Amino acid sequence: MPDRRKRKSLSIFRPALTALTPIDDDAPDSAPATLKKSHPSPAFSDQSPIPSPTGSSLERTSSKNSLERLIPKTRPRNLQKSGRPSSLFGSLRSLSSLQDEDELLTRTSSTPSSLQSSTSNAPDLATSMVLYHGPLPEAGPMFRKRCPYLVLTETHLIQFKSQARASEMFPNIPPPQSQGRSNMRHSRISSNGSTHDLHSSPEHYTAIALASIVAVYKLDDGEPYFTIEIAYFTESTNHASTITLQIHDPRESDLWLSTVRAAASKTRVDGSTPFPQSLVEYTARALEQEHDYDPKHFTMFKVVQRANKSGKRSSSDDLTKLTSKICILAIGMYQLHLVPLPKSTRTASSTSLSDLNGASHGIITLTSINVQTFDDSFQLIFRPPCQLSSTLFLAALCANEVALSIRRTAEYLRPEWIEQPFVWSIPPGVEDDLLPFPSEQEENKCFDRTLTAYCAAYKLDTSNIRYYVNYHCEDAPAFELLPTGSLLRTNYSSIELLAVMRALRYNESFGSISFEGISLDLLHALSDRYGSEHVPWTTRSGERINLEEQEKTSLLIQEIRALALKSKRLRRLNFSYCLSKKSSSSSGSGVCEALFPLCPRQLTNVDWIILDGIMLSDMDIDYLYAAAIEKSCHFRAIDVGHCGLMDRNLYAVLQALTHQGQTLESINISGNLARFQPDALQEYLQNFTRIRKLNISNTYRTSGPEPWIDAEILLRWRLEDLNMSHITLNEQTIASLATYLKNPQSDTMRNLSLNQCALSGAGLGLLLHAIYRPIPRELHLYVTENRLEQGHDMLVSAVASSCTPSQMTMEMLEYKEEIHFRQLLEAWVQNSSTKYLNISKVSLPFEASSETFGALKRLLAENQIIEVLNLSGEEAHLEVANFGPGLNRALTGLKVNKQLEILYLEHQKLGLQGANTLASVLEENSILREIHCANNEFNLQAFTVLVNALEHNTSITYLPFMEDDKAASMKRVDREIDNFRESGSYGLTTPAKATMKRTLGAAMSGPRSFSSRMANASGPAKQRFSDKDVMAAVDSLSQNWDQESKRLQTYLMRNYSIRHGLPLEAMTDEDTDRPLTGWSGATALRVSSNDVTPVGEPNVQLGGSKTKEDDDEGVDMEDDGSDLEGALMMSQKLDLG
């Protein structure tokens, strides 16, 4: 495998090039500079004449997007001394902007059947120097006098009908009478598809220009000859063909091979025309159809796709059928393509690359490059994961340049890989011409580039792979793989996981990698029996690891081991909940087998391993134990929470970890089935001196008066996180915690979790007094679902005295007496230490009283320290918790609040009235930045009220798009449709409306008074609607939700730009058009029936003030009618509007 240590390969090709002028036949060809060792600093030569794409179908009005830059004005250095390069480099513009399918170039294969006959250039041929010549008998010695004669000059390979004809043109060739015995015995020449031209031409010779030769190579066809095949392509006529020389004498065969190769190579570098512009555009469009064209990363070569005839005997007829093909080898951004030559008679065909067998291969899947030294042949081997390899047998005079270009592209796509995973076999000295790439700054060490290359090679959709880079955590940056973006499945496929893991290899930008919650079961059960090029045999520095039977292990073990071995910066690996119980039960999880054998030998820097949620087998425990008892491992953490460990295995883990007592920083043994003796846990914990994080939540021990952890042990540590949730805390444990929290040793603590600990209000009050500091501590205290009503006065006193930390979460408080909750609210009004408060999901015996809402209103209005407040309710199948309708009155306290920035109000059934209250708050409050108020039974009318409120509010940067509320509204419409269908009519009579329960507001209707008034004012007593009307109404409802969402996004983007000082984008009238939303349901029904434009309420605005008639009817802000009725109204409104 090629070893490229410390090579930075960040750009495939050379700097950007400009467009060229059209071909001038009289202009001399200019040759590019060489890449010889004597010129290590590359420079660009002067212009080479190449046709301009002007006038082609690729032409564009914008000069920036034009394909006139498809061909560089200055050609890059070539591997030869001078002359026409065999590769073509593109410009800076991609073809991805092409929009018309009829503009896409087409690709066809062609094998023209004639050699090029030359008559007009006879004087030039006669003046050329003869390099080599000899007879080519067609059959045996008896036909020697009629043998064709082959002459190689400086510019052409010429075939004469006889030696006499050759001597007539070239006097230095002796006539047949003076020539001795032939030095070529039993040799013959054949041409694929061109025999007629060879022997029936009206002239005496046929010439092949050496500049048109593509490749000269040996051919093993099973015949008792030494066969040479010469492939050539005439660009002016698009004629491609091959001729075959079969020679008995091996020395003579080698002489012809070397002589023709040398002459063709010299002609090629001495100056010949570049690729025609039409062929360049044809190839570029071929790659564009494969979504792999980028003009900055585009190279093309003429090559021969050789027929694989090794070991087979074939007749002359079979030989013409199995002939090789001349095609274009194009290297795109991520793939290598074999593009068939265009047929001159069908240049507008729509043949795709898939028509050519094995035409496209991902460069990332390359496993071998083998370039021959004795001829122009070379082989490329590709192998996708878990598949057989595919070999391309190719030949080209520029084989070395092809190999270097592929190598450069591979290193560009994997710039961080020190050792490329393919075999690199080329002639000596060629690799010295491999130029380094200029550095190119990309985020995360070009991870996106490498991942995209793997996706392109493995035929994956990149949109399905989602990840996040966390820069605000320990061992940052942290790569976190997120759930798949596919809507059809929930888990990644095995190939997608391989693409991600292989893209992460060698990447030195991430200190942590997390697969938390991502199923790796498929990789655990998969092995690759077709190859081992991706097996990690060595460390990053090249040291062999010498582990037995690595190639037989699962792909999960191989990829995890490769991540640990190939990165020096990687310190933390998180595999929480990555494997199901079934996958890790019998043969082990694979994670322990992959990592722990490396740690004692210090082959990896990974020292923080998270195994939470993986059912560890005895085999896993053996691997863990064997590594942990070695002090050379220097583990900082091995988390085994919720791993199904029983007493024996958990004790074994803790005993092994005691050997890491000087380095271990985190212990997580939560959620296991083991049961501790009262003093057993403390005996293990006292061996650790540097613990920062301790999680013993949801663990068990036998009953006893002893504390879970003595204060003496706690005072040895400077804890940052302590989680004792789901543990019943006795008085001794609470006293031990209070002693530690009161000591300055605990000032480093940032998170203390005591959820569901049967903690009383008195116990929490004791802890709060221990936490108190004159300057509030930056500590987040979690006390969810505890029995705080017991000893509640101590809790209220501590809160009112501002003994609380900066953040508190008190979810799911359950009160039997409402007065206790009211007292807690009054205490929070006086509190001046907590900035984040979560008192969501409070359960009261009844709906809150006006006194409680008064206390909540004072909290919202008078507290000047809270910045984030969570008052959300809960709506589950078995339990519903919300404050009740009086919450709308309490929310008016926000109008005078000058500190609160983020408010959570989910699942509180605010409805239209709550939306109007929030809208009134937004008109006066300029401090709030985020309002999380989804799932509040908002219909379209309520949503529109909130969006309209943002028209003049420039502080809100987050407001939900109410997707769940929209879905609930649509479900209500579906139910109403079903009800009407069961009744046999979509009609609504006025008495029926008066008696039906008004629980759901019309999707776009106004207050009830408008509906009643208009229904009584005019129109028939009953209106009927067809199925078509109903479906149109439902569609209009969905469309108007989307329109309001678009308006909301416009306002939020405006406010975000204002907050961050960004330039504002001009908003169109369509973006900010405020809809008229005061249409009543009855008006809509009348309109849909009578097909007239409503004139009774054109000036009524949503959320506007009530009229005198409204007051007479006692109108409140409840919704009227049904969502279906309102949707029908809106449908008619849109049709008539």
Side-chain angles (χ1 to χ4, degrees):
M1 294 187 182
D3 192 0
R4 182 187 54 83
R5 309 210 177 272
K6 299 184 179 179
R7 180 185 295 280
K8 292 292 183 179
S9 305
L10 299 178
S11 176
I12 294 184
F13 305 115
R14 303 168 178 88
L17 306 175
T18 56
L20 294 177
T21 57
I23 284 182
D24 184 358
D25 294 338
D26 297 331
D29 296 334
S30 58
T34 67
L35 298 182
K36 296 291 185 180
K37 296 180 183 178
S38 57
H39 303 283
S41 300
F44 295 104
S45 64
D46 51 0
Q47 296 182 1
S48 298
I50 294 186
S52 170
T54 305
S56 69
S57 60
L58 288 175
E59 196 170 347
R60 289 292 179 274
T61 57
S62 172
S63 61
K64 179 180 179 181
N65 295 329
S66 175
L67 277 181
E68 292 179 2
R69 295 158 58 194
L70 181 65
I71 309 303
K73 182 179 295 183
T74 306
R75 302 195 65 81
R77 289 180 175 268
N78 204 339
L79 294 177
Q80 302 296 336
K81 188 172 182 179
S82 62
R84 163 184 167 232
S86 61
S87 63
L88 186 68
F89 302 94
S91 66
L92 295 175
R93 185 191 172 274
S94 173
L95 283 177
S96 59
S97 62
L98 295 181
Q99 299 178 0
D100 300 330
E101 292 184 0
D102 55 85
E103 289 186 292
L104 295 178
L105 275 172
T106 59
R107 296 147 292 181
T108 59
S109 61
S110 174
T111 309
S113 59
S114 65
L115 292 170
Q116 183 178 359
S117 178
S118 302
T119 58
S120 60
N121 60 347
D124 295 336
L125 294 178
T127 58
S128 300
M129 179 184 296
V130 176
L131 302 178
Y132 198 69
H133 60 90
L136 297 174
E138 288 194 33
M142 60 182 300
F143 301 101
R144 183 66 56 85
K145 292 184 179 180
R146 296 190 300 169
C147 291
Y149 202 83
L150 198 62
V151 178
L152 176 64
T153 71
E154 292 179 308
T155 58
H156 289 78
L157 181 64
I158 311 169
Q159 177 193 342
F160 293 91
K161 288 186 176 181
S162 64
Q163 184 176 354
R165 299 296 185 183
S167 64
E168 291 178 1
M169 179 175 292
F170 299 102
N172 57 336
I173 297 178
Q177 296 80 2
S178 62
Q179 182 178 359
R181 183 175 179 82
S182 173
N183 58 1
M184 290 184 61
R185 300 177 56 253
H186 301 283
S187 302
R188 62 182 181 182
I189 179 173
S190 64
S191 173
N192 175 29
S194 59
T195 305
H196 176 76
D197 289 326
L198 282 170
H199 303 292
S200 61
S201 173
E203 300 300 328
H204 303 300
Y205 64 89
T206 302
I208 301 173
L210 296 184
S212 66
I213 291 180
V214 177
V216 183
Y217 50 93
K218 290 184 177 181
L219 186 65
D220 184 7
D221 57 358
E223 293 286 348
Y225 308 101
F226 297 94
T227 305
I228 301 173
E229 193 164 69
I230 303 174
Y232 62 94
F233 172 67
T234 306
E235 294 173 345
S236 60
T237 59
N238 276 345
H239 284 180
S241 188
T242 61
I243 60 174
T244 304
L245 307 179
Q246 294 181 333
I247 306 171
H248 278 279
D249 191 341
R251 290 175 298 179
E252 191 69 28
S253 174
D254 293 341
L255 189 56
W256 272 105
L257 177 66
S258 59
T259 306
V260 174
R261 284 187 68 201
S265 298
K266 185 177 185 303
T267 302
R268 173 172 163 266
V269 301
D270 280 346
S272 55
T273 59
F275 289 98
Q277 182 65 25
S278 59
L279 185 60
V280 173
E281 294 178 352
Y282 165 81
T283 306
R285 289 184 180 175
L287 268 64
E288 196 277 336
Q289 287 188 9
E290 300 296 324
H291 308 288
D292 193 39
Y293 177 73
D294 186 336
K296 293 189 297 183
H297 308 97
F298 170 58
T299 316
M300 56 186 292
F301 305 89
K302 284 181 293 187
V303 300
V304 178
Q305 188 176 13
R306 298 181 290 124
N308 186 16
K309 307 172 187 177
S310 179
K312 297 181 180 179
R313 297 185 61 86
S314 57
S315 63
S316 298
D317 294 337
D318 294 333
L319 186 62
T320 59
K321 295 178 182 179
L322 298 175
T323 184
S324 302
K325 298 178 182 178
I326 297 179
C327 57
I328 299 297
L329 186 148
I331 301 176
M333 184 68 183
Y334 305 110
Q335 300 185 73
L336 180 145
H337 310 270
L338 291 181
V339 183
L341 292 173
K343 292 183 179 179
S344 56
T345 58
R346 290 183 54 198
T347 57
S349 174
S350 60
T351 304
S352 65
L353 287 184
S354 59
D355 295 334
L356 188 63
N357 185 27
S360 296
H361 299 271
I363 296 176
I364 292 297
T365 63
L366 181 69
T367 62
S368 176
I369 301 178
N370 185 10
V371 180
Q372 302 297 333
T373 58
F374 53 82
D375 63 2
D376 294 334
S377 63
F378 63 100
Q379 294 83 36
L380 303 177
I381 303 178
F382 300 88
R383 195 183 73 84
C386 304
Q387 297 182 27
L388 292 172
S389 61
S390 175
T391 304
L392 297 181
F393 297 94
L394 306 173
L397 286 173
C398 54
N400 293 336
E401 299 169 53
V402 173
L404 291 176
S405 182
I406 295 174
R407 172 72 179 270
R408 284 194 296 266
T409 305
E411 292 181 353
Y412 173 82
L413 297 178
R414 285 184 292 224
E416 291 297 300
W417 284 55
I418 294 178
E419 185 179 9
Q420 296 292 332
F422 53 79
V423 177
W424 177 248
S425 178
I426 59 174
V430 174
E431 189 172 5
D432 296 338
D433 295 325
L434 184 63
L435 295 178
F437 288 97
S439 60
E440 198 170 292
Q441 297 297 327
E442 288 187 24
E443 287 186 336
N444 305 317
K445 303 287 187 180
C446 307
F447 172 75
D448 281 345
R449 181 199 304 173
T450 305
L451 179 59
T452 305
Y454 272 105
C455 290
Y458 295 168
K459 312 299 182 184
L460 302 175
D461 184 356
T462 55
S463 64
N464 291 337
I465 299 178
R466 300 168 58 245
Y467 70 93
Y468 171 71
V469 179
N470 188 352
Y471 294 94
H472 306 286
C473 63
E474 293 184 6
D475 298 323
F479 173 89
E480 300 175 3
L481 185 61
L482 302 178
T484 177
S486 174
L487 299 177
L488 303 178
R489 48 192 170 86
T490 57
N491 295 327
Y492 287 103
S493 67
S494 58
I495 303 301
E496 288 172 334
L497 292 173
L498 284 177
V500 172
M501 289 186 170
R502 290 175 179 176
L504 287 170
R505 283 197 195 186
Y506 288 100
N507 192 293
E508 289 289 282
S509 62
F510 301 120
S512 303
I513 295 177
S514 173
F515 298 99
E516 181 176 1
I518 305 300
S519 176
L520 302 179
D521 291 340
L522 293 177
L523 286 184
H524 182 268
L526 186 64
S527 60
D528 192 346
R529 58 189 179 89
Y530 298 105
S532 59
E533 61 273 6
H534 281 284
V535 175
W537 304 106
T538 62
T539 65
R540 183 182 180 91
S541 59
E543 178 185 355
R544 293 195 65 84
I545 60 177
N546 297 321
L547 294 178
E548 296 181 357
E549 298 184 342
Q550 278 202 90
E551 66 279 4
K552 297 182 180 179
T553 58
S554 68
L555 287 177
L556 177 64
I557 296 176
Q558 293 179 14
E559 296 303 322
I560 293 176
R561 190 170 287 168
L563 290 177
L565 287 170
K566 302 300 184 179
S567 175
K568 291 183 178 180
R569 185 174 182 180
L570 184 63
R571 301 291 304 278
R572 184 184 307 230
L573 285 172
N574 187 349
F575 298 99
S576 300
Y577 301 94
C578 288
L579 293 169
S580 64
K581 182 178 180 180
K582 181 179 179 181
S583 297
S584 57
S585 59
S586 58
S587 60
S589 65
V591 179
C592 297
E593 181 180 354
L595 293 175
F596 289 122
L598 308 178
C599 299
R601 299 165 57 186
Q602 299 182 345
L603 298 176
T604 177
N605 289 333
V606 175
D607 54 13
W608 196 303
I609 302 173
I610 304 176
L611 304 174
D612 296 343
I614 299 178
M615 298 296 106
L616 299 181
S617 65
D618 291 342
M619 181 183 298
D620 293 319
I621 299 301
D622 292 340
Y623 280 114
L624 189 156
Y625 187 89
I629 62 176
E630 299 291 339
K631 292 185 178 181
S632 59
C633 292
H634 304 296
F635 285 125
R636 291 186 298 150
I638 299 179
D639 292 348
V640 291
H642 298 273
C643 290
L645 301 181
M646 301 299 291
D647 297 6
R648 174 180 174 274
N649 285 338
L650 185 55
Y651 286 154
V653 170
L654 290 175
Q655 182 180 357
L657 290 179
T658 57
H659 294 80
Q660 308 295 322
Q662 301 301 316
T663 59
L664 205 68
E665 300 178 12
S666 173
I667 297 177
N668 182 359
I669 56 173
S670 62
N672 286 294
L673 303 177
R675 183 178 294 272
F676 291 101
Q677 296 297 324
D679 296 331
L681 180 60
Q682 298 193 65
E683 291 178 0
Y684 288 117
L685 294 181
Q686 67 183 359
N687 293 285
F688 305 104
T689 60
R690 302 185 60 183
I691 295 298
R692 296 187 297 111
K693 299 182 179 182
L694 178 63
N695 186 348
I696 58 173
S697 64
N698 201 22
T699 54
Y700 306 94
R701 73 166 195 176
T702 56
S703 60
E706 300 85 357
W708 275 84
I709 307 176
D710 283 331
E712 181 182 353
I713 297 177
L714 290 172
L715 290 172
R716 297 179 183 179
W717 304 329
R718 297 184 64 84
L719 288 175
E720 298 176 6
D721 295 283
L722 176 60
N723 191 343
M724 301 181 69
S725 299
H726 305 282
I727 292 177
T728 301
L729 301 182
N730 55 22
E731 294 181 1
Q732 290 78 6
T733 304
I734 295 176
S736 177
L737 286 175
T739 301
Y740 177 68
L741 293 172
K742 194 171 183 178
N743 193 288
Q745 187 78 358
S746 68
D747 289 346
T748 57
M749 184 172 290
R750 295 293 174 263
N751 294 283
L752 175 59
S753 298
L754 301 174
N755 301 321
Q756 286 187 310
C757 291
L759 190 64
S760 66
L764 179 55
L766 177 63
L767 294 177
L768 290 178
H769 282 288
I771 289 174
Y772 171 76
R773 300 290 189 275
I775 299 177
R777 296 180 58 168
E778 291 296 328
L779 169 66
H780 195 150
L781 177 61
Y782 299 86
V783 287
T784 294
E785 215 171 348
N786 281 294
R787 304 170 185 174
L788 302 183
E789 202 168 14
Q790 302 175 8
H792 195 263
D793 292 342
M794 289 190 63
L795 171 61
V796 171
S797 174
V799 172
S801 302
S802 300
C803 295
T804 55
S806 62
Q807 303 175 71
M808 279 199 71
T809 296
M810 308 173 66
E811 292 183 347
M812 302 181 71
L813 299 180
E814 186 173 353
Y815 286 97
K816 295 180 180 179
E817 297 184 22
E818 182 183 342
I819 188 174
H820 291 152
F821 179 63
R822 189 185 317 140
Q823 292 173 352
L824 183 62
L825 291 178
E826 294 288 359
W828 282 116
V829 174
Q830 306 173 42
N831 184 276
S832 61
S833 60
T834 297
K835 297 181 179 180
Y836 174 96
L837 177 61
N838 183 350
I839 52 174
S840 61
K841 303 177 184 179
V842 174
S843 177
L844 301 177
F846 306 101
E847 288 185 350
S849 63
S850 59
E851 291 83 1
T852 300
F853 285 123
L856 181 58
K857 181 178 180 180
R858 287 191 294 275
L859 172 62
L860 296 176
E862 300 176 15
N863 185 285
Q864 299 301 319
I865 188 64
I866 296 178
E867 298 177 355
V868 181
L869 179 62
N870 193 336
L871 296 175
S872 298
E874 182 181 23
E875 187 172 351
H877 292 292
L878 301 178
E879 186 175 357
V880 176
N882 57 71
F883 290 122
L887 178 61
N888 294 320
R889 181 170 63 89
L891 293 177
T892 59
L894 292 170
K895 294 182 179 180
V896 296
N897 189 290
K898 301 301 181 183
Q899 190 67 28
L900 188 65
E901 297 182 357
I902 301 176
L903 177 65
Y904 291 84
L905 277 173
E906 297 178 344
H907 296 291
Q908 286 292 356
K909 296 185 177 180
L910 297 178
L912 177 59
Q913 185 176 356
N916 278 280
T917 302
L918 288 176
S920 66
V921 169
L922 294 178
E923 292 177 358
E924 301 184 33
N925 188 304
S926 60
I927 304 299
L928 275 171
R929 293 190 292 109
E930 300 180 12
I931 300 180
H932 301 256
C933 56
N935 298 291
N936 271 295
E937 297 185 357
F938 288 149
N939 58 12
L940 179 56
Q941 185 176 357
F943 185 36
T944 306
V945 168
L946 292 173
V947 176
N948 288 342
L950 292 185
E951 184 175 358
H952 301 293
N953 182 291
T954 59
S955 63
I956 294 294
T957 57
Y958 177 83
L959 192 71
F961 290 93
M962 312 296 181
E963 293 296 335
D964 292 337
D965 295 270
K966 174 184 176 182
S969 179
M970 299 302 294
K971 286 183 179 179
R972 290 196 294 268
V973 170
D974 292 339
R975 287 196 299 268
E976 293 171 18
I977 292 175
D978 294 338
N979 293 336
F980 284 126
R981 283 174 176 167
E982 291 177 0
S983 65
S985 173
Y986 290 113
L988 287 177
T989 62
T990 301
K993 289 178 58 182
T995 57
M996 71 182 299
K997 184 177 181 181
R998 296 177 175 88
T999 56
L1000 304 176
M1004 292 296 296
S1005 64
R1008 183 175 59 191
S1009 60
F1010 300 138
S1011 176
S1012 302
R1013 179 157 38 85
M1014 292 305 298
N1016 294 328
S1018 62
K1022 186 174 183 178
Q1023 306 293 335
R1024 294 183 176 275
F1025 303 96
S1026 65
D1027 286 342
K1028 182 178 180 181
D1029 295 331
V1030 173
M1031 298 310 298
V1034 173
D1035 290 341
S1036 70
L1037 178 63
S1038 179
Q1039 292 171 5
N1040 280 275
W1041 272 99
D1042 296 338
Q1043 180 62 30
E1044 293 306 303
S1045 297
K1046 182 179 178 181
R1047 291 180 59 224
L1048 173 60
Q1049 184 176 12
T1050 301
Y1051 290 137
L1052 295 179
M1053 288 298 298
R1054 177 201 65 188
N1055 295 352
Y1056 179 86
S1057 299
I1058 292 174
R1059 182 175 182 83
H1060 294 85
L1062 302 176
L1064 296 177
E1065 296 182 1
M1067 292 187 294
T1068 64
D1069 295 338
E1070 181 181 356
D1071 294 333
T1072 59
D1073 186 22
R1074 177 170 175 151
L1076 298 175
T1077 54
W1079 299 87
S1080 68
T1083 303
L1085 299 176
R1086 175 174 59 81
V1087 169
S1088 63
S1089 175
N1090 297 331
D1091 196 25
V1092 297
T1093 302
V1095 296
E1097 312 168 80
N1099 60 339
V1100 179
Q1101 297 294 320
L1102 178 63
S1105 60
K1106 296 180 290 184
T1107 65
K1108 182 177 182 300
E1109 292 181 68
D1110 300 335
D1111 294 329
D1112 293 340
E1113 294 185 13
V1115 175
D1116 56 18
M1117 293 302 294
E1118 291 184 6
D1119 299 333
D1120 176 48
S1122 66
D1123 284 82
L1124 174 60
E1125 180 183 343
L1128 287 167
M1129 176 277 299
M1130 176 49 60
S1131 177
Q1132 294 291 347
K1133 174 186 172 183
L1134 294 176
D1135 291 340
L1136 297 172

